[in-house]
Amino acid sequence: MEQAAGECWVVGVDVGGSGVRVGAALADRPVDPTGTRTVAAAAAARVSASAGGQDARALLDRLLPALDTVVAGLPGGARIGAVAVGATGMALLGRDLAARLPGPLARATGARRLVLAGDAVTAYAGALGTAAGVVVAGGTGLVAIGLRPGGSWCRADGWGQLLGDCGGGAWIGRAGLEAALRAQDGRNGGSPVLLAAAERHYGPVAGLPAALQPRPDRAALLAEFAPAVVAAAEEGCPVAGGLLRRAGEEIA
């Protein structure tokens, strides 16, 4: 049933390492998935070359069109009361996002309230609210966050593709590509199955360093190979199966 015009909506934005999702739901009501308007956008380029961390401009170039699509689909007269953004890397690489997102988001939606948080925090709030517990936010990256009964927070991993995110999509993809390159070299621990999969997906493996190293979105590119690792494990590849077991151990 179409909602009455003039009601207040809340917009949620999920910024991951491989894409952006925007959704809108009526404020002050339990969220009904059938009444939530959502849209997805392409991955935002992730760069960390500056002290400000992630590139807000690259994110806005992808986020604003998706936001416009969601807002345009709301009932006539609907108003946006708040926008909540959960962005990967917000805690450690979010200085540029915090400085440059509020103005454009307010202008695009008319919202007077804006919340910026790490995606682990928004994942926790969505799953458990304010109850004590533990949530693993796993996608391109990976972080675990917990709230103790006494009210104090704790976090594990979420250190990014170079230093951590163990068990996440980019970690699995990178480990699978390493096994592919080991097979190419004839080293122990290699997987011919993953080598063939890598060549199907990326082309000749000799070109992998040049294709991946300069890319600001290389975490997303690495994560693209994770499904190939899963498929290889399902086909009986022992190396791929071992990688997935190790990923499970890291997550646990």
Side-chain angles (χ1 to χ4, degrees):
M1 183 176 69
E2 189 64 59
Q3 302 295 335
E7 290 184 294
C8 183
W9 291 68
V10 173
V11 171
V13 180
D14 175 36
V15 181
S18 300
V20 178
R21 290 179 297 175
V22 181
L26 281 164
D28 301 323
R29 295 190 192 179
V31 176
D32 177 6
T34 63
T36 302
R37 320 297 174 87
T38 61
V39 66
R46 292 187 52 171
V47 295
S48 54
S50 70
Q54 296 194 54
D55 186 347
R57 184 69 261 167
L59 173 58
L60 286 168
D61 287 344
R62 291 154 178 83
L63 172 56
L64 291 179
L67 195 58
D68 288 342
T69 299
V70 167
V71 172
L74 298 182
R79 59 187 177 85
I80 307 299
V83 178
V85 179
T88 181
M90 185 70 199
L92 301 177
L93 296 171
R95 187 183 305 173
D96 195 38
L97 301 186
R100 299 178 62 185
L101 289 186
L105 292 182
R107 289 190 292 272
T109 63
R112 300 184 64 181
R113 187 176 186 187
L114 175 66
V115 179
L116 300 177
D119 59 346
V121 175
T122 53
Y124 191 100
L128 299 177
T130 57
V134 176
V135 167
V136 173
T140 301
L142 191 132
V143 60
I145 188 169
L147 176 62
R148 297 185 177 91
S152 59
W153 291 90
C154 52
R155 193 196 85 173
D157 210 337
W159 295 115
Q161 66 185 77
L162 295 178
L163 301 176
D165 286 357
C166 300
W171 184 94
I172 293 172
R174 184 197 177 284
L177 289 174
E178 180 183 346
L181 295 177
R182 284 179 173 274
Q184 172 75 6
D185 294 343
R187 290 180 288 153
N188 292 334
S191 165
V193 174
L194 291 176
L195 174 59
E199 290 179 332
R200 286 194 301 270
H201 190 81
Y202 298 100
V205 293
L208 274 175
L212 293 176
Q213 293 287 359
R215 292 284 294 268
D217 58 344
R218 60 181 172 269
L221 293 175
L222 291 171
E224 286 180 3
F225 195 62
V229 178
V230 174
E234 292 174 342
E235 293 169 4
C237 172
V239 174
L243 293 178
L244 293 185
R245 284 191 295 275
R246 185 179 164 200
E249 292 167 357
E250 292 288 356
I251 295 170

